[in-house]
Amino acid sequence: MELPPEAPAELPIETPLEVPMPPPEGQGRAGTVPQTQAQPRDATAAAKPGRASGPAPTPSPTPAAPTSRSQPMSAPATEPVAGQAAKPLSQPVPEPTPPAQDSPGAQTPGAASPASMPPPPLPAEPGIGSVPPAGIEGLSAVPEPVSEMLPEPTLAPELEPAAESLPEVLPAPAPEPEPRPAPPPAPHRPSLFIVHITPEMAPVAKVGGLADVVFGLTRELAIRGNHVEIVLPKYDNLRYDHIFELHEVYRDLWVPWYEGAIHCTVFFGFVHGRKCFFIEPHSRDNFFNRGAVYGYQDDVLRFAFFSRAAMEFLWKAGKHPDIIHCHDWQTALVPVLLYEMFQGLGMTHPRACLTIHNFAHQGVTGVELLRATGLHRPEYFLDYHRLRDNRYVNAINLLKGGIVYSNFVTTVSPRYAFETKDQGQGFGLEPTLHTHHMKYGGVVNGIDYDVWNPEVDRLIPTHYGVDSIDGKYANKRALRQRLMLADNEKPIVAFIGRLDPQKGLELLRHAIFYSLEHGTQFVLLGSSPDPRINNDFWGLKHMLNDSPDCHLEIGFDEELSHLIYAGADIMLVPSRFEPCGLTQLISLRYGTIPVVRAVGGLADTVFDKDYSTRPLHERNGYTFQDYDQTGLESALGRAIACYFHHPDHFRELMKNAMRTDYSWNHPGEDYLNIYDYIRDK
Ligand code: ADP
């Protein structure tokens, strides 16, 4: 079938060029990243809490489901190695600033940097803007010899400096997701040794989308024949039930810290096949034994320590990866340490890639941190072209440091790359992004189709696919039963996400009432570390407690989220800003129609059924521009009307959504192109 007549005919689509320019409708997956041949991927692929009163759900006929559907630089620290509505409710480097050669590496206490250290090589500016994508693609990927210069310490097998670029055959780890057909080998791409240093990885340490990205990307990279390792803090609240064969591999890792050193132990374990190292410090600072990943006054210090410890570990373990990939401000100090400290120690091989998942958090702190980490030299680092914060002249900014010192910086969608650099969304880092635009680009995140796939999802009662879409309605019934919602013919509008101002909380609140007034049910799953926000939503929950069509679940519940993705009809994402967004990508896979504000990655991945210039079969949701109630209603109203009045159109939209490929296939290729590019610099 065709979409409604109001839908414009196919219009020409502009092709996004490069990062700085936002694609007309987020077409470019990687604005700045080389588009090479992506491998085709066939992803075969309780009682309602708090409800005072409410009719028990009466089984009734299945609701009328819609029928028919882009471098830098050294010195040391060799310390001791050592939810019946109709109930109106009141609404309520610089050119990668070459570190001055006259500044000796880290000749400071606690960071023994050999005075004789040769000056660190300046990072060669990748300059992706100056090199057409094909330029990157065309770079010959010549395997480089790896670390041969240092004596290798005697280590546990996992620590052996792995024939760096050779994929290592390891004993099959425990429960690995269903195997899927491996993509054909990428043409002539040598395998790389890639280390991700990250504060989060799903499911063992998940706070937000960053965790999912690391989980999905690392697997994709490994599937493509690369040797991938991940370094994480050993939090006390890790999901140990997802770590297999956890054991100690490096007992005495001494990490220089202030004038002394902190004794750490490193553990190794498999997380669904991924090779992970967990660093556990033994100190009264108790950095990672606090019951939560973030939310402490000394967060900057905690993750600066982790960054230093991770680098110290790589160094002491004799690992010389081709690529060190770090994430967000928490590990943005890694490239700084690499070029200002460890390169001077001989760690000259690795190239650094930084992915910024959100510019709202940057790790701004005092110069004291320089002393803690052994970088010292405030007069050197407190320079506008290095770590000095763009707003506070006496503060250092870790995220800025990561941008200046990395060989390539990515963010999680081309549109967000544009917004952060040119639309005032960079939280003060716009000038820095301009200076380094040649090595800055956007790659839309993927989602792991082994986890987020209604055909195999173990957390939903009924599997379904694009050719068996009616199975979705069994999940809708299950969702209603679980949340004690009335079984009727209404569509379910849902929201899943952090209750953060970024997510558009005013519009979310308005949408709940608007949806209920327009004959839908509404389900919310979300939480906030901010007690005031949580209390607001608890108040709302109590206000709507008697409604048989509304359920607000305040908390984090991964399992419930799967059932909501599978059971809901419409997913609302009304963000103020959204670097990429995973909820809309997951929703698309589950045939749950996204209604989103067209910003950041949302604009790059959701194409309006009525107004998009995309071909009809690529349109997969509803979008709105203005961050106000009118904007929201313009999109949500159309989605609800389509469900009720054009069920065949709605069903076709669901199929379009499910067919969209947002696996890690394309992003995996994009990141490998970036790695290849910076590796040869
Ligand atoms: P962000 O990274 O800004 O939090 P994303 O949309 O990128 O937002 O990723 C959010 C991820 O976290 C998605 O996988 C979503 O399903 C999950 N999520 C968010 N809040 C919750 C919650 N309360 N319970 C379960 N999963 C959640």
Side-chain angles (χ1 to χ4, degrees):
M1 63 154 285
E2 274 299 347
L3 287 173
E6 67 269 25
E10 264 184 50
L11 294 176
I13 301 171
E14 287 176 41
T15 303
L17 300 176
E18 49 184 324
V19 167
M21 294 310 297
E25 233 190 3
Q27 301 170 25
R29 270 197 151 269
T32 59
V33 176
Q35 303 287 311
T36 54
Q37 57 303 315
Q39 314 295 322
R41 167 78 44 82
D42 178 10
T44 28
K48 183 169 181 175
R51 189 184 293 290
S53 62
T58 353
S60 66
T62 302
T67 55
S68 44
R69 163 194 166 50
S70 309
Q71 155 170 34
M73 333 37 33
S74 110
T78 54
E79 269 302 30
V81 168
Q84 191 125 24
K87 172 167 70 174
L89 294 162
S90 63
Q91 145 103 262
V93 179
E95 290 327 44
T97 301
Q101 305 266 322
D102 54 77
S103 312
Q107 289 296 359
T108 51
S113 177
S116 58
M117 207 68 72
L122 298 182
E125 181 81 17
I128 192 162
S130 61
V131 180
I136 298 178
E137 191 180 327
L139 289 176
S140 61
V142 182
E144 290 182 38
V146 270
S147 61
E148 37 328 86
M149 60 294 213
L150 297 168
E152 307 291 356
T154 303
L155 301 168
E158 294 83 351
L159 288 171
E160 283 176 22
E164 316 294 22
S165 31
L166 295 178
E168 196 179 350
V169 178
L170 288 172
E176 178 65 304
E178 298 289 323
R180 63 181 178 190
H188 314 300
R189 199 192 282 287
S191 78
L192 300 176
F193 178 22
I194 304 159
V195 172
H196 280 252
I197 300 179
T198 174
E200 296 181 38
M201 188 184 80
V204 293
K206 173 170 172 172
V207 176
L210 159 57
D212 296 300
V213 170
V214 173
F215 185 79
L217 176 58
T218 52
R219 179 185 164 107
E220 183 69 29
L221 295 171
I223 285 175
R224 289 167 178 267
N226 300 287
H227 181 96
V228 185
E229 295 179 356
I230 300 151
V231 184
L232 286 151
K234 189 167 180 294
Y235 302 107
D236 57 351
N237 61 333
L238 283 173
R239 287 285 304 267
Y240 285 97
D241 52 326
H242 287 276
I243 307 176
F244 303 95
E245 300 176 23
L246 184 67
H247 61 281
E248 193 178 291
V249 289
Y250 202 116
R251 180 167 308 204
D252 298 316
L253 176 72
W254 287 92
V255 179
W257 195 241
Y258 286 102
E259 280 69 42
I262 292 179
H263 177 220
C264 300
T265 302
V266 184
F267 293 77
F268 176 85
F270 290 104
V271 176
H272 300 280
R274 292 149 188 83
K275 299 164 190 166
C276 300
F277 292 93
F278 301 92
I279 298 180
E280 178 179 58
H282 309 288
S283 86
R284 278 175 301 185
D285 296 304
N286 213 23
F287 286 135
F288 306 124
N289 294 321
R290 303 185 185 187
V293 172
Y294 308 125
Y296 305 99
Q297 280 195 331
D298 60 343
D299 277 356
V300 174
L301 209 59
R302 295 168 66 224
F303 288 100
F305 175 79
F306 171 61
S307 300
R308 174 75 202 253
M311 287 303 295
E312 203 69 26
F313 168 60
L314 295 185
W315 169 245
K316 306 262 172 66
K319 291 176 181 285
H320 295 267
D322 298 293
I323 301 293
I324 297 178
H325 194 148
C326 45
H327 300 267
D328 275 347
W329 70 265
Q330 295 91 327
T331 54
L333 199 61
V334 164
V336 182
L337 291 165
L338 174 62
Y339 287 103
E340 291 286 5
M341 187 177 284
F342 289 89
Q343 199 170 75
L345 290 172
M347 206 172 187
T348 56
H349 183 70
R351 292 292 177 267
C353 179
L354 167 69
T355 294
I356 301 175
H357 301 254
N358 196 326
F359 276 78
H361 311 285
Q362 301 182 359
V364 177
T365 188
V367 291
E368 177 73 4
L369 189 83
L370 297 170
R371 188 166 70 85
T373 54
L375 286 165
H376 298 283
R377 295 182 295 157
E379 69 290 347
Y380 174 75
F381 286 107
L382 205 55
D383 178 288
Y384 179 77
H385 297 298
R386 293 191 180 90
L387 301 191
R388 197 184 92 192
D389 185 67
N390 292 350
R391 295 169 174 164
Y392 305 103
V393 296
N394 290 318
I396 59 172
N397 183 319
L398 300 188
L399 194 62
K400 175 176 172 176
I403 295 171
V404 171
Y405 281 86
S406 291
N407 297 88
F408 206 95
V409 180
T410 69
T411 190
V412 290
S413 69
R415 179 69 66 111
Y416 191 57
F418 169 71
E419 292 172 347
T420 49
K421 185 168 76 67
D422 295 312
Q423 300 278 290
Q425 296 287 314
F427 291 88
L429 288 177
E430 294 85 351
T432 307
L433 294 175
H434 270 273
T435 300
H436 295 278
H437 71 278
M438 305 287 272
K439 58 173 186 178
Y440 179 50
V443 179
V444 173
N445 288 334
I447 54 173
D448 192 322
Y449 281 181
D450 290 319
V451 175
W452 299 109
N453 181 354
E455 291 174 290
V456 298
D457 191 333
R458 296 176 192 145
L459 296 175
I460 61 175
T462 306
H463 292 157
Y464 63 98
V466 69
D467 296 322
S468 53
I469 210 162
D470 287 337
K472 183 170 174 61
Y473 300 103
N475 295 297
K476 186 173 181 176
R477 285 192 294 276
L479 176 62
R480 284 174 161 154
Q481 278 173 8
R482 171 150 177 191
L483 302 182
M484 292 189 67
L485 293 172
D487 197 1
N488 51 36
E489 300 192 349
K490 297 179 176 184
I492 298 178
V493 180
F495 171 90
I496 299 175
R498 292 180 296 116
L499 297 178
D500 182 283
Q502 169 198 338
K503 301 294 179 183
L505 300 184
E506 305 89 344
L507 293 189
L508 173 59
R509 185 183 171 94
H510 178 70
I512 295 173
F513 292 97
Y514 179 86
S515 300
L516 295 175
E517 287 165 4
H518 287 76
T520 81
Q521 297 185 318
F522 201 100
V523 170
L524 175 148
L525 171 60
S527 63
S528 169
D530 183 339
R532 285 168 306 178
I533 296 179
N534 264 352
N535 287 342
D536 279 355
F537 277 86
W538 272 106
L540 200 56
K541 180 181 172 75
H542 287 127
M543 185 191 300
L544 296 166
N545 205 41
D546 293 333
S547 168
D549 287 324
C550 184
H551 182 93
L552 308 185
E553 184 75 27
I554 318 294
F556 190 95
D557 189 331
E558 181 91 27
E559 199 178 331
L560 177 58
S561 76
H562 284 247
L563 187 55
I564 296 175
Y565 284 119
D569 300 287
I570 293 169
M571 182 64 68
L572 182 66
V573 194
S575 303
R576 277 181 181 277
F577 69 92
E578 191 60 75
C580 178
L582 294 179
T583 50
Q584 86 279 13
L585 299 183
I586 299 171
S587 298
L588 288 166
R589 186 64 178 168
Y590 284 74
T592 303
I593 300 306
V595 173
V596 309
R597 177 149 180 262
V599 289
L602 298 171
D604 281 336
T605 56
V606 180
F607 311 111
D608 194 276
K609 168 185 169 292
D610 302 323
Y611 299 117
S612 172
T613 56
R614 289 235 162 187
L616 296 177
H617 69 274
E618 290 182 15
R619 302 182 195 181
N620 54 16
Y622 293 87
T623 65
F624 63 99
Q625 302 286 340
D626 297 338
Y627 187 81
D628 56 29
Q629 295 183 1
T630 308
L632 170 88
E633 292 174 10
S634 72
L636 185 53
R638 285 185 295 125
I640 295 172
C642 183
Y643 182 93
F644 282 121
H645 306 305
H646 300 282
D648 50 343
H649 294 181
F650 197 89
R651 193 179 180 91
E652 206 58 29
L653 203 55
M654 290 166 69
K655 289 183 176 174
N656 286 354
M658 294 181 78
R659 288 190 190 111
T660 315
D661 180 8
Y662 285 118
S663 67
W664 275 102
N665 183 32
H666 294 285
E669 188 70 20
D670 291 339
Y671 276 110
L672 283 172
N673 287 334
I674 291 171
Y675 295 164
D676 272 351
Y677 179 67
I678 60 179
R679 205 163 69 88
D680 290 335
K681 289 293 168 185

